[in-house]
Amino acid sequence: MINIIIAGPRGKMGRAAVQMVQETEHFHLAAVLDRKNGGKYLNEVDGFAGIGSDVPVYEDHEECFSTVEADVLIDLTTPEVGRIHTLSALAHGIRPVVGTTGFSDEDLGELRTMTKDKGIGCIIAPNFAIGAILMMKFAQNAAKYFDDVEILEMHHDQKLDAPSGTAIKTAQLISEERTVKKQGHANEKETIPGARGADFEGMRIHSVRLPGLIAHQEVIFGGEGQTLTIRHDSYDRKSFMSGVRVSVDTVMNLDHLVYGLENILD
Ligand SMILES: NC(=O)C1=CN([C@@H]2O[C@H](COP(=O)(O)OP(=O)(O)OC[C@H]3O[C@@H](n4cnc5c(N)ncnc54)[C@H](OP(=O)(O)O)[C@@H]3O)[C@@H](O)[C@H]2O)C=CC1
Ligand SMILES: O=C(O)C1=N[C@H](C(=O)O)C[C@H](O)C1
């Protein structure tokens, strides 16, 4: 049995994760970490009637991590608080599985150092959906043959960070194969600032935010007389849950930080 704490249980991902943990035979939801409802049980929180009558809600992460006997923290919050939760969990010997996006390179470096010092596992996954991981790997492979690429990520309009964690990870993987190149016309000029999107080593990332969307990304490569488009769509947050489950199982046997599920899948 793996004892789990979920941070951000009332969020869109947090709710899906609570359901996944409850449905997984060898997982036990030991507690949740919320910024409201401290002192209650989960079944007393709006939207959880009938679920988690034995699952305490904590508002204070220190109190939660020092009181609850947990193996794994699943964090699905915001980068600011997710970073603090992750550092604190590691300090208490609890292995973090972090889906929260928006961490800076400095944040990742700090977490990598802390994980190494503690000698326990930590997984930070910008995207838990297997289709999205394949999209990133296919895009990295295609980058061996195409120098010019633009990433178009499309998300629901409640998303806080832009570009998405997936788009940044995709650009990082592509950059392992691609020589830095400023794309487009040498003299191109934006007549409205931002028209050409974010610049990652000369490749462009465009962020669309619209109600109705969940999580979607196209990686478009261009060459002479042709384009190649690699696209992934998440239509339901259930698409992320098998990746969260695999991450919880895997982090139990790690002694270092893994950034990206492509590193733990065959
Ligand atoms: N890795 C992956 O595959 C995926 C990652 N994500 C990422 O997961 C994160 C959560 O996404 P999503 O569920 O859509 O977002 P939501 O906004 O729906 O949920 C975030 C939750 O975090 C809580 N929260 C915010 N600030 C604090 C705080 N200071 N202390 C404690 N809790 C806090 C919010 O509480 P309140 O309701 O009170 O604001 C909310 O319940 C995002 O970073 C997103 O990018 C999303 C989908 C897939
Ligand atoms: O906020 C979201 O919804 C998502 N966030 C992650 C990201 O930033 O890449 C993963 C997925 O795209 C959904």
Side-chain angles (χ1 to χ4, degrees):
M1 191 61 78
I2 301 178
N3 290 306
I4 298 170
I5 297 170
I6 295 178
R10 286 179 300 102
K12 293 178 280 300
M13 280 292 282
R15 285 179 191 274
V18 166
Q19 189 181 345
M20 180 278 291
V21 168
Q22 300 278 50
E23 288 170 0
T24 305
E25 228 167 73
H26 66 290
F27 288 179
H28 172 242
L29 187 58
V32 295
L33 186 52
D34 194 0
R35 64 168 162 183
K36 291 181 190 162
N37 303 302
K40 291 185 180 173
Y41 284 91
L42 188 58
N43 65 327
E44 298 168 294
V45 176
D46 267 359
F48 290 98
I51 303 168
S53 57
D54 60 343
V55 178
V57 182
Y58 290 86
E59 283 180 25
D60 184 84
H61 60 89
E62 280 297 329
E63 185 193 357
C64 180
F65 299 151
S66 53
T67 312
V68 178
E69 292 238 342
D71 304 300
V72 174
L73 164 73
I74 301 175
D75 192 274
L76 299 161
T77 58
T78 65
E80 295 76 24
V81 75
R83 173 184 158 273
I84 293 166
H85 289 167
T86 306
L87 287 168
S88 174
L90 287 166
H92 285 88
I94 299 171
R95 303 154 187 84
V97 167
V98 182
T100 305
T101 53
F103 289 138
S104 65
D105 289 345
E106 291 72 36
D107 294 338
L108 290 174
E110 183 186 32
L111 294 170
R112 189 167 280 116
T113 304
M114 177 82 167
T115 306
K116 202 171 170 193
D117 290 350
K118 299 299 286 185
I120 62 168
C122 175
I123 295 179
I124 300 183
N127 202 311
F128 287 113
I130 182 67
I133 296 151
L134 290 173
M135 168 197 56
M136 290 186 256
K137 286 180 77 126
F138 295 158
Q140 182 179 26
N141 205 15
K144 291 178 193 160
Y145 308 96
F146 289 92
D147 296 335
D148 290 79
V149 53
E150 307 229 348
I151 298 170
L152 179 60
E153 57 97 338
M154 296 158 277
H155 282 83
H156 58 91
D157 64 348
Q158 298 306 301
K159 186 162 178 58
L160 295 174
D161 53 319
S164 69
T166 308
I168 295 169
K169 183 69 179 171
T170 307
Q172 290 167 339
L173 290 171
I174 288 174
S175 83
E176 289 176 20
E177 305 295 340
R178 175 182 174 273
T179 311
V180 175
K181 174 185 178 186
K182 184 184 178 301
Q183 294 178 187
H185 196 287
N187 299 326
E188 75 179 12
K189 184 172 171 228
E190 289 182 331
T191 51
I192 300 180
R196 289 288 288 120
D199 184 336
F200 188 106
E201 297 182 356
M203 64 181 124
R204 297 292 173 158
I205 305 178
H206 309 271
S207 297
V208 176
R209 297 290 177 265
L210 285 172
L213 294 171
I214 302 261
H216 318 262
Q217 181 169 292
E218 282 184 7
V219 187
I220 309 170
F221 293 90
E224 269 186 35
Q226 60 181 320
T227 61
L228 168 68
T229 302
I230 303 170
R231 178 173 174 124
H232 176 259
D233 299 273
S234 274
Y235 299 109
D236 192 302
R237 291 185 177 81
K238 284 182 182 160
S239 61
F240 304 114
M241 291 304 129
S242 54
V244 179
R245 191 183 291 118
V246 169
S247 299
V248 169
D249 283 329
T250 305
V251 80
M252 293 297 294
N253 300 312
L254 288 177
D255 62 0
H256 59 282
L257 183 141
V258 167
Y259 167 54
L261 282 204
E262 71 281 1
N263 296 304
I264 61 169
L265 298 176
D266 287 336

